[in-house]
Amino acid sequence: MKKSTIWLIAFVMGASFLALLYMQTRYLAEVIEIRKEQFDESVRHSLYLVARNLELRETRAGLEAELKAQGHAAGEALGKAQSAPAAMHQGADDLPLPADPNVTVPQKFFFAKRRRLPRPAHLPQKERH
């Protein structure tokens, strides 16, 4: 083999090595950037969930405090409504609601019925006994 052929092969191998090294560093930089974006997105999502849960807790605490403050009037009205069925009306979910206009939070908000979802068509229907 000629000396010039050996130098040509060595040059091509060196250039190939440098090209592969460059491609790997670009790939690694891209992977790192994607991981940073995923981390940032997970942090944003976590912060959103924390804020949402805090908002729900504050809303619930406020509603419970309001119900507790109005509890005596609502409890008396509910007691009267249970003793006098004519003073009650049926809600959309067939829940008895007190006829007291001072109650601002509907009872169905806290005592909503669980709804049964329809069974998928490809599954056999269960028989009720």
Side-chain angles (χ1 to χ4, degrees):
M1 206 187 270
K2 291 184 188 179
K3 194 172 186 180
S4 61
T5 307
I6 293 174
W7 280 106
L8 180 65
I9 291 174
F11 176 75
V12 169
M13 287 176 57
S16 299
F17 175 75
L18 291 176
L20 287 173
L21 186 64
Y22 174 73
M23 286 175 37
Q24 285 182 342
T25 55
R26 280 192 55 199
Y27 175 76
L28 189 59
E30 189 175 327
V31 166
I32 290 171
E33 183 64 30
I34 289 172
R35 293 277 173 104
K36 283 182 182 179
E37 289 174 5
Q38 287 175 344
F39 176 76
D40 291 344
E41 183 63 30
S42 68
V43 167
R44 275 190 229 105
H45 183 69
S46 297
L47 288 174
Y48 166 77
L49 290 178
V50 167
R52 182 173 171 251
N53 286 339
L54 283 174
E55 183 179 343
L56 289 175
R57 284 183 184 177
E58 288 175 1
T59 303
R60 182 176 180 176
L63 291 174
E64 286 175 350
E66 186 177 334
L67 282 177
K68 192 177 277 188
Q70 295 177 355
H72 296 291
E76 291 172 5
L78 184 59
K80 290 178 187 176
Q82 287 176 348
S83 63
M88 296 174 66
H89 67 280
Q90 296 295 326
D93 294 328
D94 295 326
L95 294 173
L97 299 175
D100 185 10
N102 295 327
V103 178
T104 58
V105 180
Q107 295 265 338
K108 67 180 181 178
F109 180 77
F110 291 105
F111 306 108
K113 284 185 178 179
R114 289 178 52 194
R115 300 191 192 289
R116 297 194 75 166
L117 296 175
R119 200 158 169 83
H122 67 280
L123 295 176
Q125 296 292 325
K126 288 184 178 178
E127 294 181 19
R128 292 186 183 217
H129 297 285

